[in-house]
């Protein structure tokens, strides 16, 4: 009986391993901290704020206050230049956006310094000299 189970166990184990490895395709994983141009093209958003509110509304939620003297806010950066708070996303057109990334508070503080503990929404635009700029 034990020998029979052993004979059936190995092929069954190999079959299960093949099924698991075929489902683990990294190309189909979605990074929830990034919105790409493809995500924005599928819909006709007027501005980046509308796109973020629709596709990743949780990015706009600030944590509770970390300090009563100076509570942190989510900051917006365009091409690594600070432009203001979340409302500044309303003035950015989605036409020239290559990606939008939500950076958590720990990573944002490490990159941009104190005062970024609520996180950052980093907007990257197409380079002006790029010939593959979308129409």
């Amino acid at each position: 009986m034990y020998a029979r189970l052993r004979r059936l166990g190995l092929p069954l184990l190999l079959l299960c391993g093949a099924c698991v490895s075929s489902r683990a395709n990294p190309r189909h994983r979605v990074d929830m901290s990034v919105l790409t141009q493809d995500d924005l093209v599928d819909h006709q958003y007027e501005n980046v704020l509308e796109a973020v509110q629709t596709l990743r509304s949780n990015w706009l939620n600030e944590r509770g206050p970390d300090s009563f003297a100076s509570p942190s806010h989510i900051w917006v950066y365009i091409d690594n230049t600070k432009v203001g708070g979340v409302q500044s996303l309303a003035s950015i057109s989605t036409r020239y956006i290559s990606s939008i990334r939500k950076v958590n508070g720990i990573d944002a503080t490490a990159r941009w310094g104190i005062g970024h503990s609520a996180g950052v929404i980093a907007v990257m635009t197409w380079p002006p000299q790029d010939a593959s700029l979308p129409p």
Side-chain angles (χ1 to χ4, degrees):
M1 176 92 171
Y2 179 70
R4 186 175 178 193
L5 285 174
R6 240 174 125 184
R7 265 187 290 146
L8 292 174
L10 182 59
L12 185 61
L13 183 64
L14 292 174
L15 181 63
C16 289
C19 291
V20 169
S21 66
S22 68
R23 279 189 252 155
N25 190 346
R27 290 182 288 179
H28 295 288
R29 293 185 182 168
V30 176
D31 185 355
M32 295 305 288
S33 66
V34 177
L35 287 173
T36 63
Q37 178 65 31
D38 293 337
D39 298 323
L40 301 175
V41 167
D42 292 343
H43 304 85
Q44 297 296 325
Y45 298 111
E46 288 187 30
N47 55 53
V48 174
L49 181 60
E50 183 181 320
V52 171
Q53 284 174 332
T54 304
L55 298 172
R56 302 286 193 279
S57 61
N58 62 321
W59 289 6
L60 304 174
N61 297 334
E62 295 181 356
R63 299 181 310 155
D66 55 354
S67 169
F68 290 112
S70 61
S72 59
H73 301 283
I74 297 173
W75 295 109
V76 174
Y77 281 75
I78 299 177
D79 295 328
N80 293 317
T81 303
K82 187 176 181 179
V83 293
V86 173
Q87 290 305 317
S88 63
L89 292 172
S91 64
I92 305 168
S93 171
T94 59
R95 183 174 178 168
Y96 299 110
I97 302 300
S98 65
S99 67
I100 306 166
R101 177 178 299 272
K102 172 68 165 128
V103 182
N104 67 33
I106 294 171
D107 293 338
T109 300
R111 183 170 181 176
W112 289 287
I114 295 174
H116 293 84
S117 62
V120 164
I121 296 177
V123 178
M124 300 304 291
T125 60
W126 294 102
Q129 70 276 7
D130 191 355
S132 66
L133 196 64

